[in-house]
Amino acid sequence: MTFETLGLAPRLVQKLAEQDITEPTPIQLKAIPHALAGRDVMGIAQTGTGKTAAFGLPMAHNLLKAGTKPDPKTVRGLILTPTRELAKQIADNLAAYTRDTHLKVNLVVGGASLNAQATKLHRGTDLLVATPGRLIDLIERKAVRLDLTKYLVLDEADQMLDMGFIHALRRIAPLLSKDRQTMLFSATMPKLMADLAKAYLNDPIRVEVSPPGKPADKVTQGLHFVEQAGKTRLLIDHLDDHRADMALVFTRTKHGANRLAGALEKAGYAVGAIHGNKSQGQRERAIKAFKSGELKVLVATDVAARGLDIPGVRHVYNYDLPNVAENYVHRIGRTARAGRDGRAVAYCAPAEMSELKAIQKAMGREIPIEGGTRWGPSQAEAPKRSSKPQAARPNGKKRQRRRPGARKAA
């Protein structure tokens, strides 16, 4: 089966061929025919399986077939995503699929100029990729209308729920055309997701190509039991073994990412950091430098667990284990992209045993132990400590800090 036999417009097939994309992935094979037929689609697939093309190509095909252009300030197809990085990745892919056609792709995310985004939207948009908060800002400024939007995609919908975007969805959805096609794509299917599908999709066809929580087949995993204070030294030792390779390192907190990046820089690494406190420009520059090879190591919070599609990443390190078990799969899915091999290494401190158990339960298998000895119950039950050093008060007592929640960590 090829993209041509799936029924896509020859111009789109040609653009895919120019990018050496010739064979549809399983999620594309299952979703594209239903999407082309106008059905609402609920797609369940792990990260890195080609979901963007699964929803983007049918929308582009139908918009090209219509042959019309959008009215000022209107949007014909809307894709909502939880993070800036994922939004930019999707927008870049859609722009590549539709290059040299009349279709106009726009991106609106936080951290960029509202006025500049409003100016672009004034001319009308065929395919708009947006984060919910920034889209609402532009709606309130009357910079964009959604009443003629015929296509809606909720991508990484499970993470959107985790990040509290359900209220934004409830504000945006009533503004769209009642006569629309809606597609929802997610890596997991919690009960809330089923409720979301029931609220926004009409008699959807469900397509699923991999069990939720299943990591990419070509990712080799390894686990090291190490005290929190020993993680940086161990990471440097591991990075020293492959200095020429690109490595992505995940931490739990923004401040932890900055501190770790500073330590790696002192160790002689070309390193950058991305997290929620960085401006959009800073994040884009760091990712661009990482993609080009100018940086060999990128330290990130879960803001990058979905949306980074960099085929050259050979190694992923879970410096801190994630609070949400499913995020482990998304993190390690940043390697072994497009059929390549990759390696993922996790560090587990005594206070992270509960996170480790949740991760292994979600995957349905244990991560092979490569170093250290599994922490015993007495060690694991010790009070959890933040990876951030506590500031000393003048009286010698240490300031108590609350452990950041999942949303704050991004």
Side-chain angles (χ1 to χ4, degrees):
M1 185 72 73
T2 66
F3 287 107
E4 192 169 16
T5 55
L6 284 176
L8 289 170
R11 296 172 74 179
L12 295 176
V13 175
Q14 180 185 344
K15 292 303 171 187
L16 293 171
E18 290 172 2
Q19 301 169 63
D20 294 323
I21 303 173
T22 56
E23 294 184 5
T25 66
I27 188 64
Q28 293 161 8
L29 282 172
K30 290 189 174 185
I32 287 176
H34 296 295
L36 286 175
R39 288 287 302 273
D40 283 7
V41 176
M42 182 165 58
I44 312 297
Q46 67 191 50
T47 185
T49 54
K51 287 181 284 185
T52 300
F55 61 74
L57 291 172
M59 284 197 297
H61 171 94
N62 289 329
L63 291 173
L64 285 172
K65 186 178 176 181
T68 56
K69 294 185 178 181
D71 294 334
K73 296 188 179 182
T74 65
V75 173
R76 303 171 77 192
L78 173 64
I79 301 98
L80 292 176
T81 71
T83 68
R84 304 172 191 175
E85 279 67 33
L86 180 55
K88 175 123 185 2
Q89 185 67 52
I90 292 171
D92 288 345
N93 287 340
L94 294 178
Y97 302 155
T98 59
R99 188 172 292 118
D100 300 325
T101 72
H102 70 271
L103 298 185
K104 190 180 301 179
V105 178
N106 274 324
L107 169 71
V108 294
V109 296
S113 167
L114 261 171
N115 289 334
Q117 292 175 353
T119 299
K120 287 183 179 180
L121 292 175
H122 183 78
R123 295 189 289 268
T125 304
D126 292 290
L127 293 168
L128 177 63
V129 189
T131 50
R134 176 48 58 97
L135 179 59
I136 288 175
D137 291 340
L138 289 159
I139 290 170
E140 291 176 344
R141 289 173 60 124
K142 301 189 184 305
V144 62
R145 292 168 42 202
L146 301 180
D147 54 303
L148 298 181
T149 302
K150 297 289 188 179
Y151 304 96
L152 171 66
V153 174
L154 306 177
D155 192 31
E156 301 292 4
D158 53 347
Q159 190 183 16
M160 292 181 77
L161 290 179
D162 289 340
M163 295 175 69
F165 287 132
I166 186 63
H167 302 296
L169 291 178
R170 287 173 180 157
R171 289 187 61 184
I172 294 169
L175 304 177
L176 279 69
S177 169
K178 297 287 190 297
D179 179 24
R180 69 169 188 266
Q181 179 184 28
T182 304
M183 290 182 275
L184 180 153
F185 284 81
S186 176
T188 61
M189 193 63 189
K191 182 183 182 300
L192 278 175
M193 192 63 58
D195 295 340
L196 185 70
K198 189 180 296 184
Y200 295 106
L201 277 65
N202 179 32
D203 187 27
I205 183 77
R206 174 169 172 157
V207 295
E208 184 171 348
V209 297
S210 58
K214 183 181 182 297
D217 294 331
K218 293 197 174 184
V219 178
T220 302
Q221 300 180 66
L223 173 65
H224 291 258
F225 291 102
V226 55
E227 292 281 357
Q228 188 70 34
K231 286 184 177 182
T232 301
R233 181 68 260 171
L234 181 59
L235 175 63
I236 291 172
D237 288 344
H238 282 152
L239 292 175
D240 281 344
D241 291 337
H242 52 80
R243 276 187 170 265
D245 293 340
M246 298 168 68
L248 184 57
V249 183
F250 283 101
T251 64
R252 185 178 297 120
T253 68
K254 305 166 190 175
H255 298 299
N258 286 336
R259 284 197 312 279
L260 181 58
L264 295 178
E265 189 172 22
K266 288 181 181 177
Y269 282 94
V271 59
I274 61 172
H275 50 69
N277 281 353
K278 297 280 187 178
S279 70
Q280 184 63 20
Q282 289 174 318
R283 286 155 71 160
E284 288 180 4
R285 286 191 293 274
I287 292 170
K288 183 178 180 180
F290 188 50
K291 283 183 175 180
S292 69
E294 181 183 341
L295 300 179
K296 288 298 183 183
V297 182
L298 186 65
V299 182
T301 58
D302 281 319
V303 72
R306 311 190 198 191
L308 278 187
D309 186 5
I310 305 175
V313 175
R314 294 284 306 279
H315 307 269
V316 170
Y317 290 94
N318 279 279
Y319 183 90
D320 297 315
L321 295 183
N323 293 330
V324 179
E326 288 80 6
N327 281 350
Y328 173 84
V329 175
H330 299 304
R331 287 180 177 189
I332 70 175
R334 299 308 100 199
T335 187
R337 308 289 288 184
R340 295 173 174 83
D341 294 326
R343 177 162 169 73
V345 177
Y347 299 156
C348 180
E352 295 175 302
M353 283 300 292
S354 60
E355 283 90 344
L356 176 63
K357 291 176 182 176
I359 289 166
Q360 295 185 144
K361 180 179 180 182
M363 292 195 300
R365 70 186 193 193
E366 293 195 350
I367 304 170
I369 299 172
E370 295 183 345
T373 304
R374 185 182 297 273
W375 304 114
S378 60
Q379 295 165 303
E381 290 171 3
K384 292 194 175 186
R385 294 171 294 177
S386 168
S387 58
K388 180 176 181 178
Q390 292 183 333
R393 290 178 178 268
N395 61 8
K397 293 183 180 180
K398 291 183 178 179
R399 187 191 310 275
Q400 296 298 313
R401 296 185 182 274
R402 291 184 299 174
R403 187 175 180 180
R407 186 175 180 186
K408 289 289 185 184

